[in-house]
Amino acid sequence: MASDGLKKEIQNALDNATLSRTLGNFCKTYPQRRLNVYKDVDFNEVQGQIKEVKSYAAQHVDEMIEKFTANCEKRGGHVFHAKSTEEAMEFVRNLVKEKGVKSIIKSKSMASEEIHMNQVLGDDGVLVQETDLGEFIISLEENTPVHMVMPALHLNKEEVADLFTDYTKTKNEPIISEEVKTARRVMREKFVTADMGVSGANVAVAETGTVFTMTNEGNGRMVGTLPKIHLYVFGIEKFVDKLTDARHIFKALPRNGTAQRLTAYLSLYTGATQVVTDKETDEKETKEFYTVILDDPGRRKILEDKEYSQMFNCIRCGACLDVCPAFALVGGHVYGSKVYTGGIGTLLSHFLVDEERAAQIQNICLQCGRCKEVCGGGIPITDLIMKLREENVAKNPNPVKKFALDAVSNRKLFHSMLRIAAVAQEPFSKGKPMIRHLPMFLSGLTDGRSFPTIAQVPFRDEFPEIVQDVKEVKGKIAMFAGCLLDFVYTDLAKDVIANLNSIGYVVEFPMDQGCCGCPASSLGDVENATLQAKMNIEAMHAEDYDYIVSACPSCTHQLKKYQEFFEEGTEMYARAKELGDKAFDFCKLFHMLGGVSNEGDSKEMKVTYHDSCHLCRSLHVVNEQRELLTSTPGVELVEMNEHDNCCGFAGSYSVLNPEIAGEILEKKINNIKDTGADVVAVDCPGCMMQIRGGLDARGIDIKVKHTAEILAEKRGLV
């Protein structure tokens, strides 16, 4: 659960109408615009090339530093290899003093923010002027970036006009073209009179000693060309080996960053140069060139770990922010540190900026996995955040969460508690299938949604009475029900069996199964997740079945993950792998075994479909359920906008972060309503609970049904 301070930050962001509008509109339109600019480019191919060149550089980082230094200095440049942020800043301070620098112009550099350059030099009496338009605006606001690529995205033109009015002491109208003219007018004098230019690097090339800067406004080129001294500050993660390696990064960076094919300016700088300083006499002087390479302990710690080292593949495009449902709501001032923002920003902040802040904001991550789909460097961002979460939990366990997860891991205790709750819920359910209000610490369960009642008779008690009349048996399948099918959606479990029976498969239910362990995993409790893996491996006896079926993608995902908890080569690893290999989500398995049919009652049913995060991104099942639905007579499938956006459930997330989850749910419900559908089809009981609860709480008469329910009903199986 978020701290009180972070909760207040979250609520303030959600209450900020301007932030909601500007950030929300950008993030809503970004995915399609990004797809449009990749029409003629194979993103997966480019991503693979970026991973290759960046991984090579990371694995040979000392060689990169040595080669870059030699090649830069051979061309008259000066290279300082800083082993800490303090060492880097001390070098910059001494250089500024030695050269008598009084004014500096900067082109956006996140590395310089790490070493607190503006603040330190400002305290020394040096004027440091940000020239990137967004950075300039937020410097007037005395704020930090809301986004790594578009730092002032949270402000509207009226707010910018007010900031410019205060700064220039003349009235500025809220007209974007006029605001740009104001910025240009203010900057012109700064560019001409500055003693030093400071840049951040998009890429640093070892074989030539070249650094690249990519900008849209031209400010970066002015910073690099007009002052007599040019200083670059960048981290060791910016290296590539060869000049040709850089082309892969620049093929993806503008497309991922701002959904553009190209940026306006791509500048390369290699060492010191002779420049004309007097156009009348053609007199020339040497333009001094310095680079500070940040090679601090945090970056080395990243490289020490095989998994975390993938962070060096980051090209700082910000695409992971643009598709993140949580970021779209709260922005980088909440979901970030004072330097880096969003999911990748959480990871970078942990190692490079503020470990305590990173520990707080990593819980904002929904684990929906959208960031992994668009990452230019192919970084498994959500997996690394989970790794970070696990490490945090191991160091600082939360006693309340630990107690709850310990209880869930004890199958008999947990199931007894659910049976007791089925009786105790009566005063709140009043005999109805949904509970609209729960008291005290349970109130989060009904915040903006109704909560389903627990079944009076769990599925495990009903299973022995289920008649399976299969004429020609093709095989035997074990059902893994998970908590929701076993104790809440018991009719859905019966529908799954009826569907599989209809195509010749007998279904068995191993009684010793319990919670899959996904809640423990998502909260970083590896100990309990491992205990539950052992319990279910023993219970399911995968070796006795042709397949294992689950009607919950989160459970299926977790079953396939079990082998990660055991050492390769051990008996438990082998058993976990067999279970994972045989585990399929219902719609995937049913489709695979010949479930597509034109059987149905032909009654009209207008259906829209919500893709669960685990099903579409972890299990990569997208088309099978749609074919099952559209082949059923009477079903009209209408796709909703943002059909693969998270519904806000995300396991325990909706309880621990109800403010964010509630806003995400609201967007999902609006998209559902816009389709005019009678039914929302889902394949995840958690999504069903979230969306059905949200619709019920709002009094909206749209049904929410699992694909297995729709098929069983339409085919007359139940």
Side-chain angles (χ1 to χ4, degrees):
M1 189 172 293
S3 67
D4 290 342
L6 183 58
K7 275 190 168 293
K8 186 175 180 180
E9 289 182 53
I10 289 170
Q11 195 56 58
N12 287 341
L14 294 176
D15 292 341
N16 186 328
T18 300
L19 176 70
S20 175
R21 184 172 60 257
T22 56
L23 197 58
N25 287 343
F26 176 82
C27 292
K28 184 176 182 178
T29 60
Y30 169 82
Q32 186 57 53
R33 289 188 291 107
R34 178 183 174 276
L35 284 175
N36 292 341
V37 296
Y38 271 110
K39 280 183 178 176
D40 301 322
V41 176
D42 185 334
F43 171 68
N44 291 327
E45 181 182 342
V46 174
Q47 183 190 64
Q49 291 165 334
I50 291 172
K51 287 171 66 175
E52 182 180 346
V53 300
K54 294 282 281 181
S55 296
Y56 178 86
Q59 292 162 10
H60 300 82
V61 68
D62 292 313
E63 178 188 335
M64 298 297 108
I65 295 168
E66 185 179 345
K67 286 172 65 174
F68 179 89
T69 301
N71 288 315
C72 181
E73 290 181 343
K74 184 167 65 178
R75 292 168 173 81
H78 305 274
V79 180
F80 181 72
H81 182 193
K83 296 298 185 70
S84 70
T85 53
E86 293 81 11
E87 199 172 276
M89 193 60 238
E90 190 60 25
F91 172 83
V92 174
R93 286 185 79 190
N94 291 336
L95 178 65
V96 167
K97 288 177 183 177
E98 177 190 335
K99 300 297 180 180
V101 171
K102 300 300 180 185
S103 64
I104 292 174
I105 50 174
K106 274 182 66 187
S107 180
K108 187 166 61 176
S109 163
M110 286 181 276
S112 71
E113 297 300 324
E114 286 183 47
I115 66 176
H116 310 294
M117 178 185 287
N118 293 16
Q119 180 182 336
V120 173
L121 293 181
D123 290 344
D124 288 348
V126 179
L127 175 65
V128 183
Q129 178 70 54
E130 295 288 354
T131 64
D132 174 89
L133 182 57
E135 292 284 350
F136 171 52
I137 291 168
I138 63 169
S139 71
L140 299 181
E141 191 192 16
E142 297 183 348
N143 209 338
T144 55
V146 75
H147 190 290
M148 288 197 294
V149 177
M150 293 157 286
L153 191 58
H154 61 295
L155 298 172
N156 60 30
K157 61 182 183 295
E158 288 78 17
E159 291 169 322
V160 172
D162 289 341
L163 290 170
F164 281 2
T165 296
D166 291 342
Y167 182 71
T168 62
K169 308 304 179 188
T170 58
K171 177 66 175 174
N172 277 255
E173 296 299 329
I175 302 169
I176 293 175
S177 60
E178 294 301 315
E179 290 171 343
V180 171
K181 289 177 182 177
T182 295
R184 185 181 295 124
R185 186 170 61 253
V186 168
M187 290 299 166
R188 188 68 57 180
E189 181 186 356
K190 309 290 185 185
F191 284 132
V192 173
T193 60
D195 301 311
M196 176 186 283
V198 175
S199 301
N202 292 111
V203 176
V205 182
E207 80 167 346
T208 58
T210 301
V211 280
F212 283 78
T213 297
M214 177 180 272
T215 65
N216 269 324
E217 302 158 14
N219 60 295
R221 187 163 292 179
M222 302 280 268
V223 166
T225 55
L226 291 179
K228 293 183 178 181
I229 305 169
H230 191 193
L231 168 66
Y232 259 92
V233 182
F234 61 89
I236 55 175
E237 70 276 9
K238 296 300 181 73
F239 281 121
V240 295
D241 186 31
K242 303 179 184 302
L243 196 63
T244 54
D245 293 341
R247 74 187 190 277
H248 307 306
I249 294 169
F250 293 116
K251 191 177 286 187
L253 185 51
R255 288 179 168 87
N256 259 16
T258 51
Q260 295 172 271
R261 293 180 187 277
L262 297 168
T263 50
Y265 301 90
L266 180 59
S267 304
L268 294 75
Y269 300 93
T270 308
T273 56
Q274 290 288 308
V275 294
V276 175
T277 55
D278 188 325
K279 63 181 181 181
E280 300 297 331
T281 64
D282 205 29
E283 183 180 348
K284 296 179 181 179
E285 292 182 28
T286 298
K287 180 179 172 63
E288 298 181 69
F289 186 76
Y290 294 84
T291 63
V292 174
I293 302 173
L294 270 179
D295 186 9
D296 53 282
R299 285 174 165 81
R300 287 291 170 167
K301 193 173 180 181
I302 292 172
L303 285 177
E304 287 171 5
D305 187 285
K306 182 180 179 181
E307 292 177 90
Y308 283 134
S309 65
Q310 296 173 89
M311 291 164 58
F312 269 48
N313 293 349
C314 178
I315 60 174
R316 304 293 195 272
C317 64
C320 56
L321 285 59
D322 302 335
V323 298
C324 173
F327 185 88
L329 290 168
V330 301
H333 292 150
V334 177
Y335 194 8
S337 61
K338 293 183 182 300
V339 182
Y340 300 108
T341 57
I344 189 64
T346 300
L347 296 166
L348 292 168
S349 295
H350 173 78
F351 290 99
L352 307 180
V353 183
D354 187 339
E355 190 172 325
E356 185 178 339
R357 179 65 177 178
Q360 286 186 311
I361 62 176
Q362 54 92 9
N363 291 302
I364 294 176
C365 173
L366 287 145
Q367 289 288 304
C368 70
R370 293 198 79 198
C371 52
K372 293 195 290 186
E373 291 183 322
V374 300
C375 176
I379 306 168
I381 297 171
T382 50
D383 299 348
L384 297 184
I385 289 177
M386 183 55 67
K387 179 178 168 69
L388 192 65
R389 188 175 296 175
E390 290 169 358
E391 292 171 0
N392 287 335
V393 168
K395 290 178 186 176
N396 305 293
N398 181 302
V400 176
K401 292 179 183 176
K402 183 67 176 171
F403 174 79
L405 292 171
D406 285 348
V408 174
S409 295
N410 186 324
R411 181 180 65 81
K412 291 183 179 179
L413 173 62
F414 181 48
H415 288 178
S416 296
M417 291 168 64
L418 289 172
R419 290 175 189 274
I420 292 169
V423 177
Q425 70 189 346
E426 181 58 30
F428 309 107
S429 68
K430 298 179 176 61
K432 295 181 179 179
M434 303 292 280
I435 300 172
R436 292 199 170 183
H437 301 287
L438 284 169
M440 298 182 294
F441 63 92
L442 295 174
S443 62
L445 295 172
T446 52
D447 191 352
R449 66 178 184 191
S450 301
F451 194 70
T453 55
I454 297 170
Q456 293 298 311
V457 181
F459 174 72
R460 62 180 51 243
D461 291 356
E462 292 190 272
F463 179 78
E465 306 302 320
I466 296 174
V467 176
Q468 300 187 55
D469 186 16
V470 182
K471 304 300 183 188
E472 296 181 15
V473 177
K474 297 178 182 177
K476 188 169 60 172
I477 297 172
M479 172 185 278
F480 186 86
C483 305
L484 287 177
L485 265 68
D486 202 352
F487 285 89
V488 180
Y489 301 123
T490 57
D491 286 343
L492 170 56
K494 296 172 194 172
D495 291 338
V496 169
I497 292 174
N499 279 299
L500 291 170
N501 287 169
S502 74
I503 57 172
Y505 288 85
V506 173
V507 180
E508 294 187 3
F509 184 83
M511 289 293 175
D512 290 336
Q513 64 179 275
C515 174
C516 67
C518 192
S521 278
S522 66
L523 290 172
D525 188 343
V526 178
E527 180 184 357
N528 273 313
T530 305
L531 286 174
Q532 289 163 310
K534 289 178 180 176
M535 173 182 67
N536 288 316
I537 291 168
E538 296 288 352
M540 295 306 293
H541 293 287
E543 65 277 7
D544 296 337
Y545 299 98
D546 298 301
Y547 305 100
I548 311 294
V549 68
S550 168
C552 174
S554 297
C555 290
T556 310
H557 164 83
Q558 191 71 10
L559 295 179
K560 290 182 173 296
K561 186 179 177 180
Y562 280 173
Q563 66 192 67
E564 297 175 14
F565 298 119
F566 307 102
E567 186 177 346
E568 193 169 352
T570 63
E571 181 188 356
M572 285 303 292
Y573 177 88
R575 295 184 68 187
K577 187 176 186 306
E578 182 173 14
L579 174 58
D581 289 345
K582 290 184 176 181
F584 290 90
D585 196 74
F586 165 76
C587 59
K588 174 69 175 180
L589 182 62
F590 192 59
H591 184 279
M592 186 173 76
L593 298 179
V596 176
S597 169
N598 60 1
E599 297 177 23
D601 58 15
S602 297
K603 292 181 181 177
E604 291 185 3
M605 178 186 284
K606 192 172 184 180
V607 178
T608 191
Y609 188 82
H610 161 72
D611 293 87
S612 87
C613 300
H614 273 133
L615 188 62
C616 68
R617 296 196 178 87
S618 173
L619 303 176
H620 307 295
V621 178
V622 176
N623 298 316
E624 289 88 341
Q625 62 271 46
R626 286 172 166 82
E627 189 175 348
L628 287 167
L629 289 168
T630 54
S631 68
T632 303
V635 174
E636 177 192 357
L637 182 63
V638 182
E639 296 287 3
M640 73 173 87
N641 288 330
E642 302 175 327
H643 55 81
D644 60 346
N645 265 21
C646 183
C647 66
F649 177 67
S652 59
Y653 190 94
S654 57
V655 178
L656 300 176
N657 296 284
E659 306 90 349
I660 298 175
E663 292 290 335
I664 293 173
L665 174 60
E666 189 69 36
K667 288 185 177 182
K668 179 61 64 175
I669 287 174
N670 288 334
N671 285 330
I672 290 168
K673 287 164 57 181
D674 289 345
T675 66
D678 309 307
V679 176
V680 185
V682 299
D683 275 291
C684 173
C687 297
M688 179 186 294
M689 184 169 77
Q690 178 80 342
I691 297 172
R692 183 181 287 175
L695 291 168
D696 181 79
R698 291 159 179 78
I700 300 172
D701 186 22
I702 299 176
K703 307 300 181 187
V704 184
K705 296 184 179 184
H706 195 284
T707 299
E709 288 182 278
I710 296 174
L711 297 178
E713 289 173 13
K714 298 291 284 180
R715 297 180 184 187
L717 302 176
V718 292

